[in-house]
Amino acid sequence: QLQLVESGGGLVQTGESLRLSCAASGRTFIGCATGWFRQTPGKEREFVASIRWSGVTTYYGDSVKGRFTISRDNAKNTVYLQMNSLRPEDTAVYYCAADLSNRGSVYPGQYDYWGQGTQVTVSS
């Protein structure tokens, strides 16, 4: 089993920044792509960003391009999501997920392990 734990969420004002972390433990994290998704009540889980194991290939959802940056430190088994210029519409529970096939897909169904989520709230 691979355990993922998100941290770094909180309450910020419009225009401020947060950095989320996703720490992996348990089975090896080696070779996994990692994705960030977000969800608000009554809505489907939305793709935010993903990064393949190498750290070179990244993908972003249209709503966060230019504002969010995903990165990883494989030595620390941790993936980060730097979120700048936050907006009220970014308010959601943010989840990280691991894809054993290293695809970095935009589809939640293609991820094998999920964390419990961390709440991000952006006030106007």
Side-chain angles (χ1 to χ4, degrees):
Q1 287 289 340
L2 178 63
Q3 288 81 42
L4 302 175
V5 178
E6 302 95 336
S7 62
L11 172 63
V12 296
Q13 295 186 339
T14 296
E16 293 186 341
S17 299
L18 278 175
R19 188 177 80 157
L20 304 183
S21 298
C22 172
S25 62
R27 65 153 286 159
T28 180
F29 202 34
I30 294 175
C32 293
T34 304
W36 285 98
F37 292 78
R38 64 188 183 187
Q39 191 169 24
T40 54
K43 293 189 177 181
E44 293 186 352
R45 202 159 285 193
E46 178 190 8
F47 173 75
V48 176
S50 63
I51 186 168
R52 291 189 177 176
W53 168 251
S54 68
V56 174
T57 302
T58 59
Y59 304 96
Y60 293 93
D62 288 342
S63 61
V64 306
K65 281 180 183 176
R67 299 188 298 125
F68 291 11
T69 302
I70 190 170
S71 61
R72 66 190 306 153
D73 184 340
N74 289 336
K76 296 182 177 179
N77 279 335
T78 302
V79 172
Y80 305 98
L81 184 68
Q82 178 67 43
M83 305 187 296
N84 298 330
S85 302
L86 283 162
R87 305 167 180 168
E89 53 264 40
D90 295 318
T91 295
V93 177
Y94 283 71
Y95 299 89
C96 69
D99 169 16
L100 299 179
S101 298
N102 197 32
R103 292 163 291 190
S105 172
V106 303
Y107 300 107
Q110 295 191 355
Y111 288 79
D112 302 287
Y113 296 97
W114 290 83
Q116 294 300 306
T118 185
Q119 176 71 46
V120 171
T121 303
V122 184
S123 63
S124 57

mmCIF file of all heavy atoms in Angstrom, residues 10-45:
data_model
loop_
_atom_site.group_PDB
_atom_site.id
_atom_site.type_symbol
_atom_site.label_atom_id
_atom_site.label_comp_id
_atom_site.label_asym_id
_atom_site.label_seq_id
_atom_site.Cartn_x
_atom_site.Cartn_y
_atom_site.Cartn_z
ATOM 1 N N GLY A 10 -5.361 25.798 3.967
ATOM 2 C CA GLY A 10 -5.711 26.804 4.954
ATOM 3 C C GLY A 10 -6.613 27.866 4.365
ATOM 4 O O GLY A 10 -7.150 27.710 3.264
ATOM 5 N N LEU A 11 -6.759 28.947 5.113
ATOM 6 C CA LEU A 11 -7.598 30.076 4.709
ATOM 7 C C LEU A 11 -6.702 31.240 4.323
ATOM 8 O O LEU A 11 -5.844 31.660 5.123
ATOM 9 C CB LEU A 11 -8.506 30.477 5.875
ATOM 10 C CG LEU A 11 -9.322 31.752 5.699
ATOM 11 C CD1 LEU A 11 -10.305 31.609 4.557
ATOM 12 C CD2 LEU A 11 -10.048 32.092 7.003
ATOM 13 N N VAL A 12 -6.880 31.733 3.101
ATOM 14 C CA VAL A 12 -6.117 32.877 2.626
ATOM 15 C C VAL A 12 -7.056 33.856 1.939
ATOM 16 O O VAL A 12 -8.204 33.529 1.651
ATOM 17 C CB VAL A 12 -4.999 32.465 1.646
ATOM 18 C CG1 VAL A 12 -3.967 31.581 2.335
ATOM 19 C CG2 VAL A 12 -5.578 31.785 0.420
ATOM 20 N N GLN A 13 -6.539 35.034 1.645
ATOM 21 C CA GLN A 13 -7.321 36.032 0.927
ATOM 22 C C GLN A 13 -6.999 35.992 -0.562
ATOM 23 O O GLN A 13 -5.963 35.454 -0.975
ATOM 24 C CB GLN A 13 -7.037 37.422 1.494
ATOM 25 C CG GLN A 13 -7.502 37.583 2.943
ATOM 26 C CD GLN A 13 -7.339 38.990 3.448
ATOM 27 O OE1 GLN A 13 -6.546 39.774 2.916
ATOM 28 N NE2 GLN A 13 -8.100 39.343 4.475
ATOM 29 N N THR A 14 -7.871 36.555 -1.338
ATOM 30 C CA THR A 14 -7.670 36.628 -2.789
ATOM 31 C C THR A 14 -6.310 37.252 -3.094
ATOM 32 O O THR A 14 -5.939 38.271 -2.515
ATOM 33 C CB THR A 14 -8.775 37.460 -3.434
ATOM 34 O OG1 THR A 14 -10.031 36.790 -3.223
ATOM 35 C CG2 THR A 14 -8.555 37.601 -4.921
ATOM 36 N N GLY A 15 -5.593 36.611 -4.016
ATOM 37 C CA GLY A 15 -4.292 37.110 -4.436
ATOM 38 C C GLY A 15 -3.118 36.527 -3.664
ATOM 39 O O GLY A 15 -1.973 36.688 -4.096
ATOM 40 N N GLU A 16 -3.400 35.869 -2.566
ATOM 41 C CA GLU A 16 -2.317 35.290 -1.762
ATOM 42 C C GLU A 16 -1.901 33.923 -2.302
ATOM 43 O O GLU A 16 -2.456 33.424 -3.288
ATOM 44 C CB GLU A 16 -2.748 35.222 -0.307
ATOM 45 C CG GLU A 16 -2.916 36.595 0.320
ATOM 46 C CD GLU A 16 -3.213 36.540 1.812
ATOM 47 O OE1 GLU A 16 -3.648 35.482 2.304
ATOM 48 O OE2 GLU A 16 -2.999 37.570 2.482
ATOM 49 N N SER A 17 -0.919 33.333 -1.639
ATOM 50 C CA SER A 17 -0.348 32.071 -2.106
ATOM 51 C C SER A 17 -0.394 31.014 -1.012
ATOM 52 O O SER A 17 -0.436 31.327 0.185
ATOM 53 C CB SER A 17 1.110 32.277 -2.531
ATOM 54 O OG SER A 17 1.208 33.199 -3.585
ATOM 55 N N LEU A 18 -0.377 29.768 -1.449
ATOM 56 C CA LEU A 18 -0.236 28.617 -0.567
ATOM 57 C C LEU A 18 0.612 27.579 -1.288
ATOM 58 O O LEU A 18 0.604 27.516 -2.528
ATOM 59 C CB LEU A 18 -1.590 27.981 -0.248
ATOM 60 C CG LEU A 18 -2.476 28.577 0.838
ATOM 61 C CD1 LEU A 18 -3.804 27.849 0.878
ATOM 62 C CD2 LEU A 18 -1.790 28.528 2.190
ATOM 63 N N ARG A 19 1.311 26.760 -0.493
ATOM 64 C CA ARG A 19 2.016 25.622 -1.068
ATOM 65 C C ARG A 19 1.515 24.356 -0.401
ATOM 66 O O ARG A 19 1.644 24.197 0.824
ATOM 67 C CB ARG A 19 3.527 25.729 -0.906
ATOM 68 C CG ARG A 19 4.257 24.629 -1.694
ATOM 69 C CD ARG A 19 5.757 24.733 -1.636
ATOM 70 N NE ARG A 19 6.300 24.204 -0.395
ATOM 71 C CZ ARG A 19 7.557 23.771 -0.259
ATOM 72 N NH1 ARG A 19 8.382 23.813 -1.301
ATOM 73 N NH2 ARG A 19 7.987 23.324 0.906
ATOM 74 N N LEU A 20 0.960 23.474 -1.201
ATOM 75 C CA LEU A 20 0.506 22.186 -0.707
ATOM 76 C C LEU A 20 1.619 21.155 -0.873
ATOM 77 O O LEU A 20 2.403 21.222 -1.823
ATOM 78 C CB LEU A 20 -0.731 21.718 -1.468
ATOM 79 C CG LEU A 20 -1.927 22.655 -1.482
ATOM 80 C CD1 LEU A 20 -3.095 21.989 -2.211
ATOM 81 C CD2 LEU A 20 -2.325 23.081 -0.096
ATOM 82 N N SER A 21 1.651 20.215 0.057
ATOM 83 C CA SER A 21 2.603 19.112 -0.017
ATOM 84 C C SER A 21 1.859 17.794 -0.003
ATOM 85 O O SER A 21 0.809 17.671 0.647
ATOM 86 C CB SER A 21 3.574 19.152 1.169
ATOM 87 O OG SER A 21 4.331 20.328 1.167
ATOM 88 N N CYS A 22 2.408 16.830 -0.685
ATOM 89 C CA CYS A 22 1.868 15.470 -0.699
ATOM 90 C C CYS A 22 3.026 14.537 -0.388
ATOM 91 O O CYS A 22 3.926 14.364 -1.209
ATOM 92 C CB CYS A 22 1.263 15.158 -2.057
ATOM 93 S SG CYS A 22 0.755 13.432 -2.271
ATOM 94 N N ALA A 23 3.003 13.967 0.795
ATOM 95 C CA ALA A 23 4.075 13.087 1.235
ATOM 96 C C ALA A 23 3.648 11.639 1.092
ATOM 97 O O ALA A 23 2.553 11.257 1.517
ATOM 98 C CB ALA A 23 4.434 13.377 2.687
ATOM 99 N N ALA A 24 4.524 10.830 0.504
ATOM 100 C CA ALA A 24 4.219 9.417 0.276
ATOM 101 C C ALA A 24 5.006 8.543 1.241
ATOM 102 O O ALA A 24 6.151 8.831 1.577
ATOM 103 C CB ALA A 24 4.558 9.045 -1.150
ATOM 104 N N SER A 25 4.370 7.459 1.646
ATOM 105 C CA SER A 25 5.047 6.461 2.485
ATOM 106 C C SER A 25 4.456 5.098 2.172
ATOM 107 O O SER A 25 3.446 4.982 1.470
ATOM 108 C CB SER A 25 4.886 6.788 3.963
ATOM 109 O OG SER A 25 3.516 6.755 4.335
ATOM 110 N N GLY A 26 5.080 4.080 2.681
ATOM 111 C CA GLY A 26 4.602 2.723 2.411
ATOM 112 C C GLY A 26 5.368 2.125 1.244
ATOM 113 O O GLY A 26 6.586 2.219 1.192
ATOM 114 N N ARG A 27 4.653 1.566 0.299
ATOM 115 C CA ARG A 27 5.317 0.971 -0.845
ATOM 116 C C ARG A 27 6.069 2.047 -1.620
ATOM 117 O O ARG A 27 5.833 3.230 -1.463
ATOM 118 C CB ARG A 27 4.320 0.259 -1.756
ATOM 119 C CG ARG A 27 3.317 1.180 -2.413
ATOM 120 C CD ARG A 27 2.821 0.621 -3.723
ATOM 121 N NE ARG A 27 3.824 0.742 -4.755
ATOM 122 C CZ ARG A 27 3.841 0.013 -5.843
ATOM 123 N NH1 ARG A 27 2.931 -0.908 -6.043
ATOM 124 N NH2 ARG A 27 4.784 0.177 -6.753
ATOM 125 N N THR A 28 6.936 1.606 -2.514
ATOM 126 C CA THR A 28 7.766 2.553 -3.225
ATOM 127 C C THR A 28 6.961 3.542 -4.045
ATOM 128 O O THR A 28 5.947 3.203 -4.648
ATOM 129 C CB THR A 28 8.745 1.800 -4.150
ATOM 130 O OG1 THR A 28 9.545 2.762 -4.823
ATOM 131 C CG2 THR A 28 8.005 0.945 -5.175
ATOM 132 N N PHE A 29 7.408 4.754 -4.039
ATOM 133 C CA PHE A 29 6.834 5.842 -4.813
ATOM 134 C C PHE A 29 7.525 5.926 -6.165
ATOM 135 O O PHE A 29 7.113 6.665 -7.033
ATOM 136 C CB PHE A 29 7.047 7.145 -4.012
ATOM 137 C CG PHE A 29 6.125 8.269 -4.359
ATOM 138 C CD1 PHE A 29 4.821 8.055 -4.747
ATOM 139 C CD2 PHE A 29 6.569 9.577 -4.263
ATOM 140 C CE1 PHE A 29 3.975 9.098 -5.038
ATOM 141 C CE2 PHE A 29 5.735 10.641 -4.551
ATOM 142 C CZ PHE A 29 4.441 10.405 -4.929
ATOM 143 N N ILE A 30 8.559 5.115 -6.319
ATOM 144 C CA ILE A 30 9.372 5.190 -7.523
ATOM 145 C C ILE A 30 8.544 4.850 -8.755
ATOM 146 O O ILE A 30 7.809 3.873 -8.800
ATOM 147 C CB ILE A 30 10.571 4.233 -7.413
ATOM 148 C CG1 ILE A 30 11.508 4.702 -6.296
ATOM 149 C CG2 ILE A 30 11.327 4.136 -8.734
ATOM 150 C CD1 ILE A 30 12.654 3.756 -6.025
ATOM 151 N N GLY A 31 8.675 5.687 -9.771
ATOM 152 C CA GLY A 31 8.010 5.420 -11.039
ATOM 153 C C GLY A 31 6.586 5.919 -11.145
ATOM 154 O O GLY A 31 5.971 5.797 -12.202
ATOM 155 N N CYS A 32 6.062 6.497 -10.081
ATOM 156 C CA CYS A 32 4.670 6.946 -10.090
ATOM 157 C C CYS A 32 4.559 8.391 -10.572
ATOM 158 O O CYS A 32 5.321 9.245 -10.144
ATOM 159 C CB CYS A 32 4.071 6.881 -8.686
ATOM 160 S SG CYS A 32 3.875 5.229 -8.021
ATOM 161 N N ALA A 33 3.574 8.639 -11.389
ATOM 162 C CA ALA A 33 3.161 10.013 -11.619
ATOM 163 C C ALA A 33 2.262 10.430 -10.459
ATOM 164 O O ALA A 33 1.643 9.584 -9.808
ATOM 165 C CB ALA A 33 2.407 10.138 -12.931
ATOM 166 N N THR A 34 2.209 11.708 -10.204
ATOM 167 C CA THR A 34 1.367 12.218 -9.121
ATOM 168 C C THR A 34 0.514 13.354 -9.645
ATOM 169 O O THR A 34 0.985 14.203 -10.396
ATOM 170 C CB THR A 34 2.227 12.725 -7.958
ATOM 171 O OG1 THR A 34 3.090 11.679 -7.535
ATOM 172 C CG2 THR A 34 1.353 13.144 -6.783
ATOM 173 N N GLY A 35 -0.723 13.339 -9.236
ATOM 174 C CA GLY A 35 -1.641 14.372 -9.671
ATOM 175 C C GLY A 35 -2.280 15.077 -8.500
ATOM 176 O O GLY A 35 -2.351 14.532 -7.390
ATOM 177 N N TRP A 36 -2.697 16.299 -8.734
ATOM 178 C CA TRP A 36 -3.510 17.059 -7.782
ATOM 179 C C TRP A 36 -4.881 17.273 -8.404
ATOM 180 O O TRP A 36 -4.996 17.657 -9.577
ATOM 181 C CB TRP A 36 -2.883 18.409 -7.468
ATOM 182 C CG TRP A 36 -1.709 18.353 -6.561
ATOM 183 C CD1 TRP A 36 -0.395 18.363 -6.912
ATOM 184 C CD2 TRP A 36 -1.730 18.305 -5.129
ATOM 185 N NE1 TRP A 36 0.401 18.312 -5.799
ATOM 186 C CE2 TRP A 36 -0.404 18.281 -4.674
ATOM 187 C CE3 TRP A 36 -2.748 18.280 -4.176
ATOM 188 C CZ2 TRP A 36 -0.049 18.232 -3.339
ATOM 189 C CZ3 TRP A 36 -2.411 18.229 -2.835
ATOM 190 C CH2 TRP A 36 -1.080 18.201 -2.428
ATOM 191 N N PHE A 37 -5.896 17.002 -7.618
ATOM 192 C CA PHE A 37 -7.276 17.226 -8.013
ATOM 193 C C PHE A 37 -7.948 18.054 -6.928
ATOM 194 O O PHE A 37 -7.456 18.130 -5.801
ATOM 195 C CB PHE A 37 -8.019 15.898 -8.178
ATOM 196 C CG PHE A 37 -7.547 15.072 -9.337
ATOM 197 C CD1 PHE A 37 -6.377 14.329 -9.251
ATOM 198 C CD2 PHE A 37 -8.255 15.036 -10.523
ATOM 199 C CE1 PHE A 37 -5.930 13.569 -10.320
ATOM 200 C CE2 PHE A 37 -7.830 14.285 -11.598
ATOM 201 C CZ PHE A 37 -6.660 13.557 -11.496
ATOM 202 N N ARG A 38 -9.083 18.641 -7.250
ATOM 203 C CA ARG A 38 -9.833 19.375 -6.244
ATOM 204 C C ARG A 38 -11.319 19.109 -6.424
ATOM 205 O O ARG A 38 -11.774 18.750 -7.520
ATOM 206 C CB ARG A 38 -9.532 20.872 -6.311
ATOM 207 C CG ARG A 38 -9.954 21.556 -7.604
ATOM 208 C CD ARG A 38 -9.422 22.981 -7.614
ATOM 209 N NE ARG A 38 -9.861 23.713 -8.809
ATOM 210 C CZ ARG A 38 -9.430 24.935 -9.129
ATOM 211 N NH1 ARG A 38 -8.552 25.559 -8.355
ATOM 212 N NH2 ARG A 38 -9.888 25.525 -10.215
ATOM 213 N N GLN A 39 -12.036 19.292 -5.334
ATOM 214 C CA GLN A 39 -13.461 18.990 -5.364
ATOM 215 C C GLN A 39 -14.207 19.892 -4.407
ATOM 216 O O GLN A 39 -13.748 20.153 -3.279
ATOM 217 C CB GLN A 39 -13.701 17.526 -4.991
ATOM 218 C CG GLN A 39 -15.117 17.042 -5.239
ATOM 219 C CD GLN A 39 -15.230 15.528 -5.113
ATOM 220 O OE1 GLN A 39 -14.427 14.882 -4.442
ATOM 221 N NE2 GLN A 39 -16.218 14.966 -5.780
ATOM 222 N N THR A 40 -15.357 20.370 -4.862
ATOM 223 C CA THR A 40 -16.274 21.124 -4.026
ATOM 224 C C THR A 40 -17.573 20.335 -3.915
ATOM 225 O O THR A 40 -17.866 19.484 -4.779
ATOM 226 C CB THR A 40 -16.547 22.519 -4.603
ATOM 227 O OG1 THR A 40 -16.996 22.369 -5.960
ATOM 228 C CG2 THR A 40 -15.292 23.366 -4.591
ATOM 229 N N PRO A 41 -18.364 20.599 -2.884
ATOM 230 C CA PRO A 41 -19.595 19.819 -2.675
ATOM 231 C C PRO A 41 -20.504 19.840 -3.886
ATOM 232 O O PRO A 41 -20.767 20.899 -4.472
ATOM 233 C CB PRO A 41 -20.236 20.507 -1.480
ATOM 234 C CG PRO A 41 -19.097 21.092 -0.726
ATOM 235 C CD PRO A 41 -18.122 21.537 -1.782
ATOM 236 N N GLY A 42 -20.965 18.671 -4.295
ATOM 237 C CA GLY A 42 -21.906 18.563 -5.397
ATOM 238 C C GLY A 42 -21.280 18.580 -6.774
ATOM 239 O O GLY A 42 -21.996 18.495 -7.777
ATOM 240 N N LYS A 43 -19.958 18.695 -6.820
ATOM 241 C CA LYS A 43 -19.284 18.734 -8.121
ATOM 242 C C LYS A 43 -18.326 17.560 -8.264
ATOM 243 O O LYS A 43 -17.883 16.971 -7.284
ATOM 244 C CB LYS A 43 -18.529 20.054 -8.286
ATOM 245 C CG LYS A 43 -19.443 21.261 -8.389
ATOM 246 C CD LYS A 43 -18.653 22.504 -8.764
ATOM 247 C CE LYS A 43 -19.557 23.702 -8.952
ATOM 248 N NZ LYS A 43 -18.800 24.932 -9.340
ATOM 249 N N GLU A 44 -18.003 17.248 -9.506
ATOM 250 C CA GLU A 44 -17.050 16.176 -9.761
ATOM 251 C C GLU A 44 -15.635 16.641 -9.419
ATOM 252 O O GLU A 44 -15.339 17.834 -9.391
ATOM 253 C CB GLU A 44 -17.121 15.762 -11.232
ATOM 254 C CG GLU A 44 -18.436 15.111 -11.613
ATOM 255 C CD GLU A 44 -18.416 14.575 -13.026
ATOM 256 O OE1 GLU A 44 -17.443 14.835 -13.746
ATOM 257 O OE2 GLU A 44 -19.385 13.885 -13.406
ATOM 258 N N ARG A 45 -14.786 15.645 -9.190
ATOM 259 C CA ARG A 45 -13.396 15.954 -8.900
ATOM 260 C C ARG A 45 -12.748 16.552 -10.157
ATOM 261 O O ARG A 45 -12.850 16.008 -11.258
ATOM 262 C CB ARG A 45 -12.677 14.677 -8.460
ATOM 263 C CG ARG A 45 -11.443 14.903 -7.653
ATOM 264 C CD ARG A 45 -11.082 13.680 -6.850
ATOM 265 N NE ARG A 45 -11.960 13.506 -5.700
ATOM 266 C CZ ARG A 45 -11.724 12.664 -4.705
ATOM 267 N NH1 ARG A 45 -10.636 11.893 -4.742
ATOM 268 N NH2 ARG A 45 -12.568 12.555 -3.697
#
